[in-house]
Amino acid sequence: MKTLFGRLADGTEIHRWSLENGGTRMKVLSYGGIVQSLEIPDRDGRYADVSLGFDRIEEYVDSSPYFGALIGRYGNRIGKGAFTLDGETHRLSVDDGENSLHGGAEGFDRRVWEVEPFTEGPDVGLRLSYTSVDGEQGYPGTLRAKVTYTLTARGDWRIDYEATTDKATVVNLTSHVYWNLAGAGSGTIEDHELQLAASHYTPTDAGLIPTGELAPVEGTPFDFRESKPIGRDLRTGHPQLLAAKGYDHNWALDKGVTAEPEHIATLHDPSSGRTLRIATSEPGVQFYSGNFLDGTLVGPGGRSYRQGDALCLETQHYPDSPNHPSFPSTVLRPGETYRTTTIHSFPA
Ligand code: GLA
């Protein structure tokens, strides 16, 4: 079902699509491909919206920290907002100190996407597309991005990303849902239990740019190989946690890049019994513990969002890969098709 959600300042209409399948309900905006709400049942069948969002388009435009949005052209940071490819240096939109974050000041999260609903066998979904012109936010090449959101018969939310270019470029698309499995606005996620299939992570400098090192998680607060409450090691004073105000790091997934999505993370909320499982073809995941939420934003239920009231698990290539030849490559050339898949499932 499609409804008018609101209008941008220039009059552009923003629509909202409602989907439901296999017990999962989802609302998606044409602005930023934003997942405005995602509802799943708890252990007693009671539904809650488990993704942070807003009621009004103005709030997304004026103050959203990427709630539910598609991120491009480059998820996470590129150091000093520059990279060199084939001998040519490209200067990007700088929107995070001296760095470029999430595609720059006017990233894919702030673009209006074309949206086509579909039904395919037992699945329902939306095909979103956006063409980013050559030079947009400093990135070379015309990038044609297609993102498919599918709700499967068993209630999985699958994302298939695709992109092509007409000049060599870099690309790293992701989704920026803020999860709180007890319900958006219900309080902290510190009691949620998280498991991540990674024995290494990429430590960062003060600007959250990877140093290039792959550090073992063994014996550190970064060890989520066995499920543990997110809050357990959050206050240990580890220098990496102090610098980032919590977890805001890329875990180098043990499986690396895979042709098919493989399981990499399980998030469980003991209070509601809700569980999220993530499988991806990507080599990394940015786990962000909602450190910058400061109580100034208010959700649809009238509840404010404070530090640690949600977390993000952004499947991706590593941050700043264009400046780290040792990291898995994010280069896309004409004739190639960028393809990645991430599946979110919500086992009962
Ligand atoms: C990502 C980044 C964080 C922060 C959030 C949005 O998770 O890694 O540093 O910018 O997005 O606030």
Side-chain angles (χ1 to χ4, degrees):
M1 200 191 49
K2 174 182 169 184
T3 54
L4 181 66
F5 182 66
R7 286 191 174 78
L8 300 183
D10 69 0
T12 306
E13 291 190 345
I14 301 301
H15 292 101
R16 180 172 78 177
W17 277 261
S18 304
L19 305 175
E20 180 164 0
N21 206 6
T24 302
R25 305 170 182 159
M26 188 170 176
K27 292 187 178 136
V28 176
L29 307 182
S30 51
Y31 182 77
I34 287 172
V35 174
Q36 191 223 354
S37 83
L38 198 154
E39 292 179 61
I40 53 170
D42 69 4
R43 61 164 73 83
D44 299 318
R46 278 181 304 230
Y47 276 82
D49 180 3
V50 294
S51 113
L52 270 52
F54 293 121
D55 265 341
R56 297 182 308 117
I57 189 62
E58 292 79 15
E59 297 171 284
Y60 283 106
V61 173
D62 296 343
S63 50
S64 181
Y66 311 96
F67 282 166
L70 285 174
I71 304 295
R73 292 189 188 190
Y74 199 97
N76 215 277
R77 294 172 178 76
I78 296 188
K80 301 202 166 58
F83 69 95
T84 302
L85 180 59
D86 299 338
E88 204 180 320
T89 298
H90 301 279
R91 303 211 169 274
L92 309 171
S93 158
V94 166
D95 57 344
D96 186 55
E98 58 176 10
N99 304 319
S100 184
L101 174 64
H102 295 333
E106 298 294 326
F108 285 10
D109 57 297
R110 300 179 63 79
R111 305 288 174 172
V112 180
W113 291 66
E114 257 173 60
V115 184
E116 282 299 322
F118 70 87
T119 303
E120 234 171 55
D123 298 339
V124 301
L126 300 172
R127 291 195 181 89
L128 299 104
S129 46
Y130 173 68
T131 298
S132 172
V133 297
D134 188 10
E136 192 172 288
Q137 301 293 292
Y139 288 90
T142 303
L143 190 83
R144 291 179 196 284
K146 291 187 184 157
V147 179
T148 307
Y149 289 165
T150 306
L151 281 190
T152 71
R154 34 173 273 187
D156 290 357
W157 170 36
R158 175 181 172 119
I159 315 179
D160 290 286
Y161 301 89
E162 231 186 82
T164 56
T165 183
D166 60 1
K167 281 184 194 161
T169 191
V170 296
V171 59
N172 191 26
L173 306 181
T174 191
S175 159
H176 211 303
V177 169
Y178 281 68
W179 302 98
N180 184 326
L181 298 181
S186 68
T188 180
I189 49 76
E190 286 189 30
D191 297 333
H192 282 36
E193 295 158 1
L194 178 66
Q195 173 262 334
L196 295 173
S199 38
H200 292 84
Y201 74 107
T202 49
T204 57
D205 68 14
L208 302 185
I209 299 295
T211 58
E213 185 198 353
L214 282 180
V217 298
E218 175 94 50
T220 77
F222 292 82
D223 194 347
F224 283 90
R225 291 173 297 175
E226 303 269 321
S227 184
K228 70 175 177 188
I230 288 170
R232 181 177 291 173
D233 297 330
L234 201 50
R235 291 175 181 79
T236 48
H238 188 286
Q240 284 288 316
L241 293 179
L242 294 180
K245 300 189 166 69
Y247 294 106
D248 193 353
H249 294 80
N250 167 67
W251 270 252
L253 300 168
D254 291 338
K255 71 173 190 70
V257 177
T258 45
E260 294 299 322
E262 292 183 15
H263 173 262
I264 58 114
T266 303
L267 181 69
H268 176 69
D269 167 40
S271 72
S272 65
R274 294 190 187 93
T275 302
L276 160 68
R277 280 172 60 86
I278 300 181
T280 188
S281 59
E282 288 285 71
V285 63
Q286 184 85 8
F287 162 38
Y288 168 60
S289 53
N291 314 326
F292 300 126
L293 295 173
D294 62 2
T296 58
L297 302 175
V298 178
R303 306 271 298 169
S304 64
Y305 299 137
R306 300 175 62 81
Q307 189 178 46
D309 280 359
L311 68 120
C312 302
L313 292 164
E314 303 151 63
T315 53
Q316 58 177 17
H317 271 56
Y318 307 172
D320 201 30
S321 296
N323 294 311
H324 293 278
S326 62
F327 289 175
S329 172
T330 52
V331 174
L332 181 71
R333 296 186 180 279
E336 299 173 344
T337 304
Y338 167 93
R339 270 196 197 94
T340 76
T341 299
T342 294
I343 302 172
H344 305 83
S345 33
F346 311 101

